[in-house]
Amino acid sequence: MAPRIGVYVCHCGGNISEVVDIQKVMESLEGPVDVVQIKDHEHICSEVGQKLILNDIKENKLDRVVIAACSPQFQGITFMKTMEHAGLSPYVLEMANIREQCSWPHYDYPQEATKKAIDLTKMSLAKARLDIPLEKKVIPIGKRVLIIGGGIAGIQAALDLGDAGFQVYLVEKDPSIGGKMAQLSKTFPTEDCAACILSPKMADVPNNPNIKLMTSTEVKDISGYIGNYQVTVTRKALYVDPDKCTCCDKCVEACPVTVPNEYDEGLTTRKAIYLPSPIAVPHSYILDDKTCLGLFPLACSKCKEVCEPNAIDYDVYPTEEKFTVDTIIVATGFDIYDARQKRVYGLGKYENVFNALEMERMLAYAGEGKPLKDIGNRIAFIQCVGSRDEQVEHEYCSRVCCMYATKLACLLNRERPGKEIYIFYTDLRAYGKGFEEYYKRAQSEGIKYIRGRVAEILEDPKTKKLTLRAEDTLSRKIIESEFNTVVLSVGLIPNEGTRHVAGLLGLSRSQDGFLKEAHLKFRPVDTLIEGVFLAGTVQGPKDIPDSVAQAGAASSRAISLMNKGVYEAEPITAQIDESICIGCGMCADVCAYKAIEITVVDAHTGKKTAVVNEFLCKGCGTCAATCRSGAADVIGVSDHQISKMIEVM
Amino acid sequence: MKNAASKYWRIPLDADRVKTPKGKIHILKERCKGCGFCIEYCPRDVLEFSDEFNEKAYHPPRVKDEKLCLCCHLCELVCPEYAIWSTEEKDEELHHP
């Protein structure tokens, strides 16, 4: 029986009709008997347009629909829902993209654009004739979530999901959760103490019965698909039993090894056995086996000798743990740009040049009344170090540096009056809520903002004072001035952990190296892998409010998937014709989603064939293009359909 | 500062306030049979082979940088010839880790 096809051509309120001659397009489609009706509409995506399609399907008994309008990425889902309402399979709908791929780029050539629109629509028509009414595949989905990264974004997502009754596995590679926020002195623009607002949240995590917190743990492997992700984690040996440790600090006094303290960015020392930070959660000492004098053979054991509760055990080893989750939230955060690569600024060479995170730590100590160092009265901040800099291939703006420099300047200024603080900036970006007011307030407090990049810093070898040379681009004057301390406002960069996790999950990355979202505007926390979401700075530089908001968004997206109990997967997947397949394995090699396995189907003859895991397959078609024997094909976008599309061109 | 992450280049600002044990290494060169255990097992990498020969024609170890020694006594535990031991310097002098 011949199909009954309805064609709709959209004007898109002039977006298409101003360039493409809609009438001509419609006329060109007339003729074939299976094209039952051809209609145009001002906005076919509007409610009126959708109702028109619904009515036509009922009255004219249509079983195929072709819509010539915008990109299916944009409105495809809208029309697929319309098809479902009408009782048809959403996979007998074809969309010809005559806006993004025709009227917009060929604005100056209306005649040619009309020709192209006709071709595109005819191709969709040819494909529609061979469409199969596919049904969505249903996967059962439970209520377990893996959150990778225990910074503020990971903590927020874990608490949101835990409170909603979902089983959360929160994995953090460091010995304590809290991330970079735990290192900050205060937060802009309200100047809340970072530790004071973060530590209650951190304390909530182990208290929540639905959250399983795994610190000092790294994700080793992830396989599977939405609703069935198999996760393997490696838990480092801690050597100190957190349940027995009373935090009496005697082991620290006994330990002979001193190393730079990571929590203080190397500005202070710690021992090989130590408390990760004063606000650490879980609050327990740990032994750093990399800097300890040695456990194999045991070299020292002074800490164990003084430990009264007998909490230290050297005879423990890293363990592996496996569990299954349904969805994953990636919140692996960022790293700061290593400003030693910008040699002109002298970090790593001059002792009075600091990066901003070091200054945060120094201010935190000064706030407690225990200053680490006298930083003098004349202080300069240099903005955009490692951001907006094509020389180091970081073209993006890190979004937080203008405001954290302003905050640090205000705090320094208030700490002891009589300071002169200059901020050398490229452009000042005070875009967020309360930011502009904060910037104005900083100016009124006497912070001087100078527009211009610093060319060079020179150190006086005797006094250790620093001479800055810069151009004030507003007054067009060369400034050469001496400062006691220079702070580099370093940008945010993607970290090593993100790369590792992206590799495990097959997540794509943007040009800047941060992880890429499914759609910048409409799906900002989703990824192209089903059931994997992004939260916080892993997706791009963000301040704390944005990270928290995104964590909330990611958890709500995860909840909306899991709450239904079932997940409907796309039916457009690869299929293998076993009678043709010779089991050469080329398709399995090229599959980006690891969805194809080569298995022996006949033990007697040893015949091998490729088998597609239809839940992992995304229907990208790489296997079909690679297959030499023509055994691999994609259901719904078959080779036969594509040949027919080319024929009508 | 062995094994410390290279990310931290600065001498910690509180380094002068931190006290670490200071070891003094004693070597009886003539007893040494050059097995190299002390050099291999020293967790701070304090020792190395010297160029000189002892009476038995072995290269005894020599101290590379005594400041690094934390007096853990491991060299004296592993030495089969009782040829090396360390003692803790009791003077209250502070030194950088």
Side-chain angles (χ1 to χ4, degrees):
Chain A
M1 201 179 82
R4 296 176 61 81
I5 309 174
V7 184
Y8 298 88
V9 186
C10 184
H11 293 245
C12 197
N15 270 307
I16 297 169
S17 57
E18 277 172 17
V19 184
V20 174
D21 187 339
I22 303 280
Q23 210 54 42
K24 264 193 187 167
V25 176
M26 288 168 65
E27 280 164 17
S28 73
L29 300 171
E30 285 168 8
V33 280
D34 54 2
V35 181
V36 179
Q37 58 156 63
I38 304 164
K39 284 186 181 173
D40 64 332
H41 198 276
E42 196 63 26
H43 284 291
I44 193 74
C45 59
S46 65
E47 211 190 328
V48 187
Q50 290 184 50
K51 271 194 181 147
L52 176 78
I53 301 176
L54 272 175
N55 274 336
D56 288 347
I57 291 175
K58 271 185 199 146
E59 282 175 17
N60 294 333
K61 297 198 175 64
L62 302 179
D63 59 5
R64 302 277 194 281
V65 173
V66 173
I67 297 171
C70 53
S71 162
Q73 287 217 328
F74 188 60
Q75 290 291 9
I77 292 175
T78 314
F79 294 121
M80 283 169 95
K81 282 192 179 143
T82 314
M83 299 292 282
E84 275 176 347
H85 281 309
L88 286 178
S89 158
Y91 297 92
V92 294
L93 162 81
E94 287 302 327
M95 284 187 77
N97 182 356
I98 59 166
R99 191 177 77 169
E100 283 87 343
Q101 289 180 356
C102 188
S103 70
W104 280 357
H106 308 307
Y107 191 81
D108 296 327
Y109 305 95
Q111 283 186 346
E112 285 83 350
T114 306
K115 264 190 209 165
K116 185 172 173 181
I118 292 170
D119 272 351
L120 288 171
T121 317
K122 277 188 174 170
M123 283 161 76
S124 295
L125 198 59
K127 182 161 182 275
R129 286 195 180 102
L130 296 166
D131 272 345
I132 312 161
L134 300 169
E135 293 294 331
K136 286 197 169 170
K137 291 171 300 190
V138 174
I139 308 173
I141 184 168
K143 296 193 166 187
R144 299 153 300 181
V145 196
L146 165 69
I147 299 177
I148 310 171
I152 180 61
I155 292 172
Q156 184 64 44
L159 290 175
D160 284 352
L161 285 157
D163 288 344
F166 291 82
Q167 173 63 44
V168 179
Y169 297 88
L170 179 58
V171 173
E172 166 59 50
K173 71 169 179 1
D174 286 341
S176 165
I177 54 169
K180 290 278 191 296
M181 185 181 170
Q183 290 181 283
L184 304 182
S185 54
K186 292 190 174 172
T187 56
F188 62 79
T190 46
E191 292 185 8
D192 291 309
C193 155
C196 317
I197 53 175
L198 180 63
S199 50
K201 268 195 192 297
M202 286 163 66
D204 282 349
V205 173
N207 291 337
N208 192 315
N210 289 331
I211 301 176
K212 186 175 182 202
L213 176 60
M214 290 189 263
T215 48
S216 298
T217 304
E218 282 184 45
V219 177
K220 192 183 165 203
D221 189 43
I222 301 175
S223 61
Y225 46 88
I226 179 171
N228 188 21
Y229 281 112
Q230 313 286 338
V231 185
T232 312
V233 295
T234 317
R235 307 197 70 174
K236 288 178 209 157
L238 299 181
Y239 305 101
V240 183
D241 186 344
D243 297 331
K244 286 187 189 164
C245 176
T246 55
C247 299
C248 66
D249 214 41
K250 280 188 181 155
C251 52
V252 173
E253 282 164 32
C255 180
V257 187
T258 30
V259 285
N261 189 350
E262 294 90 351
Y263 180 65
D264 288 332
E265 290 294 306
L267 292 174
T268 63
T269 50
R270 65 161 171 85
K271 295 294 184 69
I273 187 162
Y274 67 111
L275 187 63
S277 84
I279 57 166
V281 170
H283 204 72
S284 166
Y285 283 67
I286 58 158
L287 177 68
D288 175 9
D289 54 8
K290 287 200 182 69
T291 49
C292 178
L293 284 180
L295 300 165
F296 309 103
L298 192 62
C300 161
S301 82
K302 280 180 182 155
C303 49
K304 193 178 166 77
E305 283 161 20
V306 296
C307 183
E308 277 166 17
N310 205 11
I312 300 170
D313 182 4
Y314 300 124
D315 204 17
V316 286
Y317 303 91
T319 51
E320 253 180 35
E321 223 170 282
K322 283 183 184 178
F323 51 90
T324 309
V325 293
D326 301 284
T327 53
I328 298 173
I329 294 178
V330 182
T332 42
F334 67 96
D335 239 334
I336 56 166
Y337 173 71
D338 185 356
R340 283 177 294 180
Q341 291 167 26
K342 291 290 282 181
R343 291 177 170 229
V344 283
Y345 296 148
L347 187 76
K349 207 163 46 174
Y350 305 152
E351 63 179 66
N352 287 329
V353 178
F354 295 89
N355 71 35
L357 203 51
E358 290 175 324
M359 189 48 78
E360 294 277 0
R361 293 311 305 152
M362 286 168 76
L363 268 167
Y365 273 92
E368 290 167 18
K370 309 181 273 191
L372 290 170
K373 190 179 191 299
D374 179 24
I375 54 169
N377 275 341
R378 285 179 59 81
I379 299 158
F381 284 80
I382 301 176
Q383 297 306 108
C384 297
V385 179
S387 351
R388 306 184 66 200
D389 189 344
E390 284 175 26
Q391 281 175 1
V392 298
E393 293 176 3
H394 293 159
E395 283 176 51
Y396 57 88
C397 167
S398 290
R399 299 181 86 225
V400 290
C401 324
C402 287
M403 281 298 120
Y404 76 56
T406 302
K407 170 198 73 185
L408 289 171
C410 282
L411 295 176
L412 285 168
N413 199 31
R414 238 166 284 154
E415 184 203 3
R416 198 178 60 206
K419 281 202 174 77
E420 280 184 74
I421 301 174
Y422 290 78
I423 297 182
F424 292 87
Y425 67 97
T426 319
D427 293 294
L428 211 100
R429 294 182 170 172
Y431 58 91
K433 187 170 181 173
F435 289 9
E436 184 68 23
E437 294 89 328
Y438 191 50
Y439 163 51
K440 285 268 163 2
R441 193 176 126 200
Q443 277 184 316
S444 71
E445 284 181 17
I447 314 292
K448 295 178 188 73
Y449 287 83
I450 293 171
R451 189 172 184 276
R453 278 212 177 191
V454 173
E456 196 177 22
I457 302 178
L458 294 171
E459 185 191 52
D460 184 327
K462 274 184 201 153
T463 61
K464 303 286 179 193
K465 283 189 176 177
L466 303 155
T467 306
L468 255 71
R469 204 173 292 154
E471 188 197 355
D472 184 343
T473 50
L474 292 180
S475 65
R476 292 207 157 178
K477 275 184 193 149
I478 301 288
I479 298 174
E480 201 175 294
S481 187
E482 206 173 57
F483 289 93
N484 301 95
T485 300
V486 170
V487 183
L488 305 179
S489 295
V490 285
L492 276 49
I493 58 169
N495 60 17
E496 209 44 58
T498 305
R499 259 168 233 145
H500 173 65
V501 173
L504 287 179
L505 284 165
L507 299 172
S508 44
R509 285 156 59 189
S510 319
Q511 207 179 355
D512 54 16
F514 291 99
L515 295 189
K516 197 172 181 176
E517 61 293 309
H519 190 286
L520 188 61
K521 293 190 183 74
F522 295 132
R523 295 174 71 194
V525 299
D526 297 23
T527 64
L528 290 174
I529 310 289
E530 300 295 341
V532 179
F533 305 97
L534 305 175
T537 45
V538 69
Q539 182 248 346
K542 267 180 207 68
D543 60 356
I544 294 163
D546 283 5
S547 292
V548 172
Q550 207 185 17
S555 42
S556 115
R557 293 285 296 141
I559 290 173
S560 72
L561 263 185
M562 291 184 290
N563 241 2
K564 274 192 276 182
V566 287
Y567 174 73
E568 292 181 329
E570 286 290 315
I572 297 181
T573 55
Q575 63 174 7
I576 309 283
D577 187 340
E578 267 187 42
S579 60
I580 308 175
C581 179
I582 54 163
C584 69
M586 283 176 76
C587 52
D589 290 343
V590 296
C591 181
Y593 305 96
K594 297 172 197 149
I596 303 182
E597 264 181 70
I598 306 296
T599 43
V600 179
V601 279
D602 192 334
H604 292 295
T605 57
K607 180 183 160 53
K608 287 183 196 165
T609 185
V611 176
V612 180
N613 180 329
E614 53 179 14
F615 298 114
L616 285 176
C617 177
K618 295 274 172 279
C620 69
T622 315
C623 54
T626 311
C627 184
R628 294 185 296 184
S629 49
D633 207 351
V634 183
I635 316 170
V637 200
S638 63
D639 285 353
H640 184 45
Q641 282 177 303
I642 291 168
S643 326
K644 285 285 171 200
M645 286 168 81
I646 297 167
E647 267 173 38
V648 297
M649 253 169 69
Chain B
M1 209 67 73
K2 189 194 166 192
N3 284 337
S6 62
K7 191 175 154 191
Y8 306 113
W9 56 275
R10 211 183 281 279
I11 294 173
L13 301 176
D14 66 348
D16 53 346
R17 277 171 264 161
V18 183
K19 215 174 103 182
T20 50
K22 189 182 173 189
K24 176 139 185 71
I25 297 163
H26 310 273
I27 302 167
L28 291 179
K29 289 177 190 166
E30 298 313 320
R31 278 199 189 177
C32 178
K33 281 187 181 168
C35 68
F37 282 5
C38 54
I39 298 166
E40 178 65 29
Y41 284 103
C42 176
R44 303 282 288 181
D45 210 6
V46 178
L47 302 163
E48 64 184 356
F49 279 113
S50 62
D51 297 330
E52 62 177 301
F53 293 94
N54 65 6
E55 263 180 16
K56 298 175 192 145
Y58 294 112
H59 292 292
R62 73 162 168 238
V63 176
K64 257 197 282 188
D65 182 2
E66 200 157 55
K67 267 190 201 163
L68 288 173
C69 178
L70 292 172
C71 199
C72 70
H73 305 294
L74 191 63
C75 51
E76 101 192 35
L77 283 172
V78 296
C79 180
E81 307 299 326
Y82 303 100
I84 187 166
W85 71 95
S86 64
T87 51
E88 197 168 330
E89 293 279 273
K90 281 292 173 195
D91 61 3
E92 285 300 300
E93 192 204 329
L94 306 171
H95 72 81
H96 289 233

